[in-house]
Amino acid sequence: MNDNPFTGNWTYRSLLNNPEVNQAFNNLEFGRGTITINEDAMQLLSGIIGGPGWSLTLKGSREYGTPMRIRFQGTGIVNGEQWIYDYEGYLINHWPNGVQQRPAIVGSVIRTIPHSGSEPGTVSPAGVVASFYAVKTD
């Protein structure tokens, strides 16, 4: 029996923390992809996060409590450069009267080191923080 509620596949989305309420939602996107979390020994977390053209290996930990917590680092080589991102997330508790509620993780992500930006000649700087959520797909 699997007692790790984080194990499995998740749809991942992250959003810039822009406080302007009139900012177009599409302009807030920081990242999107999928997360696969492996079954591991107690308190350990491993897996992969990725999307079109990028993939990072995950290594970290999980903690039981209210709420349950995960903390992990994603590392990998994307287009010949090192990418490192750090994540911290919390499993949303089940609502007793929730309708078709899916397991979800909410949290924060930080770009740990800089890497080339999506536009030629630009740099995605270290230290940018975004909020993320992930919804379990299986």
Side-chain angles (χ1 to χ4, degrees), residues 22-114:
N22 294 324
Q23 179 67 35
F25 196 76
N26 288 342
N27 294 339
L28 298 174
E29 183 174 351
F30 186 70
R32 71 169 86 180
T34 58
I35 299 175
T36 299
I37 297 177
N38 302 326
E39 179 62 32
D40 270 315
M42 181 68 82
Q43 298 181 352
L44 297 180
L45 184 139
S46 68
I48 296 173
I49 185 172
W54 67 281
S55 178
L56 305 177
T57 300
L58 304 180
K59 184 176 181 181
S61 63
R62 60 186 164 112
E63 296 176 6
Y64 288 96
T66 304
M68 293 185 183
R69 175 180 177 256
I70 56 175
R71 187 173 179 116
F72 54 90
Q73 185 172 77
T75 61
I77 304 297
V78 178
N79 296 325
E81 310 184 77
Q82 180 76 42
W83 280 24
I84 301 176
Y85 285 79
D86 284 282
Y87 303 80
E88 182 169 22
Y90 299 88
L91 188 65
I92 297 300
N93 290 321
H94 178 77
W95 287 100
N97 297 318
V99 176
Q100 297 179 347
Q101 180 181 356
R102 299 194 64 84
I105 302 167
V106 298
S108 183
V109 54
I110 185 169
R111 184 181 300 121
T112 308
I113 64 171

